[in-house]
Structure formats: C-alpha cells, structure tokens
Amino acid sequence: MKKFFRALSLVLCIAILAGAFSSCSKAVESTPVDIEDFRVTAYVTSDTCKDLSTFDTSHIETVTDFIFFGAADFDEEGNVVLSDDFEVSLNNLKQAISAYPDKKIYLNILGPKAQNQDEDWNAQMDDLGQRHTNAFESGKLEGNIKTVLDKYGFDGVFFDYEFTISKKYWKAYDKFIISLDNVLGSEYEIGMALADWDIKQSDEAKQATDRIEIMSYDLWDDDGNHATMEIAQKSIEKFVKAGYDKAKLDLGVPFYARPTTEEGYWYSYKDYYNDIDANGLYKDDETGLTFSFNTYSLIEEKTKYAIENGLGGMMIWHYACDCPEDSGKSLFGAVSSAIETEKAQLLNGAQNSADNA
C-alpha cells in the first residue's frame, strides 16, 4: 500500500510541476514533494515559552518544524548574543515537544538594530543594511553561529533580514550565506524569511539556502482584506519565476489580523475566533477599526493549494496566536485537515490503480 501511495504522489507532483510552470522562463525544475514530507513550520517566540504552564501543546503533533524566535541576535562585529531567558525558553520548548523526537527546531537570529529611529524609512533601511553588512563581512559570524547550533542542538539557522533594499547589501548577504553554507556543510540547514517584493538572491545563494519562508502577509487587496488567497498565489508565482525550487518554499500564513486601513495593529486569532464573521472580519468598537483575519476555510484552501502546486510546506506566524485544538476552529486544525484530505485522496487513487492493474 505504501509503495502505491508514494508512486502516485510522485506522478502527481511531476504532472503538476510540468503543467503549471512550463511557461515560466526563469523557473527551475522543482523537486517533487511527497505528501508525507510536507512541512508545517511554526515560528515560536521565546516569550511564549517562558512559562510552560501557559504554553498550548495541543498543536504540537501538527507542526513538523519549529523556528525559535526572539532570543538571539548578532551584532556588527559578528558576535551572537543570546537573551537572558534563552536557555529557559528553549528548554521549555524542547520539553513541550519531547514526546515527538522527529520534530526539528531551528534558531532564528536577528541582526543589529537601526540607530536612527527618528529618520525616514529609507534612511533606516540604509542604516540597517550597512550594519548587517558589517556583520556579514566580519569573518566571525559564520563560526559563531555554528558554535551556538552545536552547543544547543539546533537543526539549522534562519534569518529574518528585510533590509536588503540596495543591491550592494544583497551582494553582501549572498556572499555571507554562501560562506555560511560552506562552514555548516550538510549538518545544518539554512533558511530565511522573504517577502515577494524583495527577491534578489543570486543563483549561487539560492543553492546555498535550504528553505524559504514566504511572508505572504501584511499585504492587502484593494478592499483592505489582509493576506488573501489571491495574494498568496501571486507570492508563490513570484518566487517560482525568480528561479526557486518549489520544494524549498513554505507558504507563510498569518494567525493574526491586520486592520483594513493597514494601520499598525495586530490581533491574535485566539482572542477573536468566536467573533469574526464568515469573511474573517471583526469590527473593534474601541478603535473603530475593522480587522481582517484568515478564516479556517481560507487556511485550509491555502494549504490545499500549496500541496497541489508542489510547495514544500506551510509556515505559520506564529504558534501562540492559534486557539486550542479542541475548539473546532483551530487554524492548525485547518492545515492538518487539508493535509489529511490530500493523503486520503492519494491513497484512494493508489488503491484504485492497484485494483485496476
């Protein structure tokens, strides 16, 4: 039975890839993804792990990969700086998933902060770009990262670097990623979060990067709806046209809302899941703003789309924003439902093929 299942998965993946991207001039041949290897990656912020008694473990089984976020930085000199609660939070996360030894944990490392907070956005981006470049060119950062990964048993490192506006900063980032790949070798994976509006990796850097988390959120349609299905589809298309192997791509989805006016507010799904309407909207009387959430059905639809179009997985920002699994409205539950439905369809197809052989 398992042989039939995997064979059909491979055939379907190849058919989808060939049909969907034959017209993309920059598209590369993508690696077929077996449904059994489809990732569910969740960012877990260190502050939500400080107290294990408040950590919701009901979604652990669904998640395959955890990215530990907010407890590690690097400075301009290439030193890795860990927060005071780094070990407590990390150990709590490890304890929470201890019953599942196959789960992976990656370390997200943030870089230097801007020093000119009062200046305009472009000036801040330039300041951040230069400070990151100083670290990338220090010659120390690669080895310091490996030391931390070795010491704490991580499966790899992720970067959330959104300041590569200038070509020169992209060049420095690319060179660093290639160098880091040489230092880490095959023992560790390298991943990064990227938005579709700033895809400028070199071909060599793409090869050195194992995972790309597509930040298809904090984006709105003309009606103010946040992170729609159409936005997700366009994000995927842009990365494929840029030459990424789709097996490396995880479609990022928000387990939080943004206001339709695009103002600086973020509402966790777990606090409002019983109050949003069928379109994912919630009117906040206190602020007068309408917030746009991804609903259960939309997350399920996005997951199904990612599977059927050959992506490597889904990415969630962030773990603690979801409501409990037993609520019946959990967004992780929507992801799991879509995956299980696809598995069942593949299994039925494989069985039918075997019966007709």
Side-chain angles (χ1 to χ4, degrees), residues 303-328:
T303 306
K304 183 176 184 290
Y305 185 86
I307 295 170
E308 293 181 348
N309 284 272
L311 268 67
M314 299 292 289
M315 178 269 280
I316 289 82
W317 178 268
H318 61 84
Y319 181 91
C321 291
D322 198 13
C323 60
E325 186 69 30
D326 60 8
S327 68

Side-chain angles (χ1 to χ4, degrees), residues 65-87:
D65 299 67
F66 295 86
I67 301 177
F68 186 56
F69 181 92
D73 301 277
F74 58 87
D75 61 23
E76 287 188 66
E77 288 72 41
N79 302 305
V80 176
V81 182
L82 306 180
S83 66
D84 293 338
D85 57 5
F86 178 91
E87 291 191 359

Side-chain angles (χ1 to χ4, degrees), residues 34 79 161 214 256 282:
D34 192 292
N79 302 305
Y161 180 38
I214 302 176
Y256 64 91
Y282 169 75

